[in-house]
């Protein structure tokens, strides 16, 4: 294995995850692949490796007994492992068996109309304006509104959900503190407690009266003949909030930033909305809103010629796998006519994203309805699109609409 310092990298995971990289990460991915399939770095919690090519990343996904998700427990301030993402086989399988049927496309069809309505209600609020903040006025609120609708919760709880989401996922960013700051960590732990308390009260209400929503269905679900425990339910709800909101917001930010900068590509979508499903898949591949997923090595091993020690952090760069020229010869080209698109934007293996079909539904609806009403838009000149690293979301996205664009 080659050391990364000779290829322009300083050996720090955080260096590679900076805001500059998050804005347009594809060039950095290519440099990483050119350096080595696997590179040693100093990670968030000590030594680790970053994995840059698809072949090695797929090996990680195939071997959960070597590359564990369960050993990440507690990093979001959670008191117990999040279900099912922080549980390894065999325990993980029983929960996926229960949850997978709730998120298949057929089950999610009922959301087509309410999601479409939510999209239009948000657009109605600014369609006549010349300038908006796309992040604050659209990409942040929409996924949370969809989530509230799915769980049968009042839309008035939107500010609460947004605060809980940011307090868990990016407490350092919220408080303006460096990564590792104890004050930000304490804030994250307090936020985690508020999430448990919130859902505990909601579940108490559903125990008394069932509704036509996902929470009620979970209360009546059985695993091997037994109902899910209250702790199981809380751990599932915690994951829903942390995994289901920020990633869709990030996808919307990435998608619309790309389309705002590439007029000709956007014009094709506007002229032929039937291509939107392929557009979604191609932008998931090219933009890879979730830059990476991480695992912990359970034993000494070797990957791509690089030795890995038990306890090492293993960072699998999904964005790099999705643009890997060894797997996709024209992976550096964005094509709406790509017929086969085996991207890893939702991960892979046993921990592949549970909500991938829901995310696709939301993204397809947004691209369809937005461009039917607002075909012309661009990034405001001088606007700083400061994407957060890891999950590439924006706090602010100044956008010009219509004639102003």
């Amino acid at each position: 294995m080659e050391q990364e310092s000779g290829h322009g990298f300083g050996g720090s995971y955080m260096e590679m995850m900076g805001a500059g990289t998050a804005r347009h990460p594809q060039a950095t991915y290519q440099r990483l692949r050119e350096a080595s399939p696997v590179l040693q770095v100093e990670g968030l919690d000590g030594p680790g490796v970053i994995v840059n090519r698809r072949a090695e990343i797929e090996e990680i996904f195939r071997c959960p007994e070597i590359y564990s998700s369960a050993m990440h427990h507690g990093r979001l301030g959670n008191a117990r492992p999040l279900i099912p993402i922080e549980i390894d086989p065999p325990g993980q399988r029983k929960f996926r068996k229960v949850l997978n049927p709730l998120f298949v496309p057929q089950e999610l069809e009922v959301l087509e109309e309410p999601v479409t309505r939510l999209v239009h209600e948000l657009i109605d609020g600014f369609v006549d304006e010349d300038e908006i903040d796309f992040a604050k006025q659209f990409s942040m609120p929409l996924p949370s509104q969809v989530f509230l609708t799915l769980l049968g919760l009042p839309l008035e709880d939107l500010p609460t959900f947004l605060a809980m989401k940011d307090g868990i996922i990016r407490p350092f960013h919220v408080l303006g503190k460096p990564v590792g700051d104890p004050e930000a960590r304490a804030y994250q732990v307090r936020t985690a407690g508020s999430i448990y308390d919130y859902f505990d009260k909601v579940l108490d209400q559903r125990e008394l009266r069932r509704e036509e929503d996902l929470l009620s269905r979970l209360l009546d679900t059985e695993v091997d003949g037994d109902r899910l425990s209250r702790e199981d339910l809380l751990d599932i709800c915690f994951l829903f909030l942390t995994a289901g909101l920020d990633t869709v917001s990030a996808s919307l930010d990435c998608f619309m930033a790309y389309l705002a900068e590439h007029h000709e590509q956007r014009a094709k979508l506007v002229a032929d909305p039937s291509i939107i499903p392929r557009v979604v898949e191609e932008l998931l591949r090219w933009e890879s809103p979730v830059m990476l997923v991480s695992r912990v090595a359970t034993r000494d091993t070797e990957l791509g010629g690089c030795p890995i020690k038990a306890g090492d952090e293993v960072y699998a760069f999904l964005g790099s796998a999705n643009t890997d020229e060894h797997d996709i010869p024209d992976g550096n080209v964005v094509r709406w006519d790509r017929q086969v698109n085996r991207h890893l934007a939702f991960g892979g293996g046993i921990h592949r994203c549970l909500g991938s079909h829901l995310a696709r539904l939301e993204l397809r609806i947004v691209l369809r309805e937005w461009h039917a009403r607002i075909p012309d838009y661009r990034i405001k000149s001088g606007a700083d699109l400061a994407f957060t690293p890891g999950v590439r979301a924006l706090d602010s996205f100044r956008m010009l609409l219509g004639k102003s664009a």
Side-chain angles (χ1 to χ4, degrees), residues 284-300:
L284 284 169
R285 181 193 71 82
W286 176 250
E287 291 293 337
S288 295
V290 179
M291 296 175 72
L292 78 159
V293 295
S294 60
R295 302 287 190 264
V296 177
T298 61
R299 61 177 185 255
D300 291 352

Side-chain angles (χ1 to χ4, degrees), residues 235-304:
D235 297 336
I236 290 169
C237 290
F238 197 120
L239 176 65
F240 284 170
L241 186 144
T242 58
L245 307 186
D246 212 43
T247 51
V248 178
S249 291
S251 298
L252 291 170
D253 291 338
C254 290
F255 281 27
M256 297 300 279
Y258 176 88
L259 292 167
E261 290 182 316
H262 296 83
H263 171 76
E264 291 183 2
Q265 293 282 60
R266 185 174 80 241
K268 295 176 184 177
L269 183 161
V270 172
D272 184 7
S274 70
I275 69 173
I276 285 175
R278 292 201 302 273
V279 171
V280 167
E281 298 307 313
E282 183 68 345
L283 289 179
L284 284 169
R285 181 193 71 82
W286 176 250
E287 291 293 337
S288 295
V290 179
M291 296 175 72
L292 78 159
V293 295
S294 60
R295 302 287 190 264
V296 177
T298 61
R299 61 177 185 255
D300 291 352
T301 187
E302 177 271 337
L303 184 66

Side-chain angles (χ1 to χ4, degrees), residues 5 9 13 21-22 60 81 87 98 102 122 143 159 171 178 182 235 250 258 278 290-291 320 380:
S5 55
F9 298 110
Y13 162 86
T21 296
I60 291 171
I87 297 178
V98 168
L102 302 178
L122 288 173
D235 297 336
Y258 176 88
R278 292 201 302 273
V290 179
M291 296 175 72
S320 185
K380 184 179 181 181

Side-chain angles (χ1 to χ4, degrees), residues 37-39 49-69 72 88-89 292-297 301-304 308 312-318 321 344 347-351:
V38 186
L39 296 170
V49 298
I50 59 174
V51 187
N52 309 305
R53 288 203 321 217
R54 179 168 181 136
E56 286 75 20
I57 289 174
E58 288 187 329
E59 183 173 344
I60 291 171
F61 291 151
R62 286 194 300 268
C63 303
E65 71 281 2
I66 300 176
Y67 304 100
S68 170
S69 295
H72 282 147
D88 288 331
L292 78 159
V293 295
S294 60
R295 302 287 190 264
V296 177
T301 187
E302 177 271 337
L303 184 66
I308 297 175
D312 277 357
E313 290 278 350
V314 180
Y315 303 98
F317 272 69
L318 303 177
L344 296 177
I350 62 167
H351 286 296

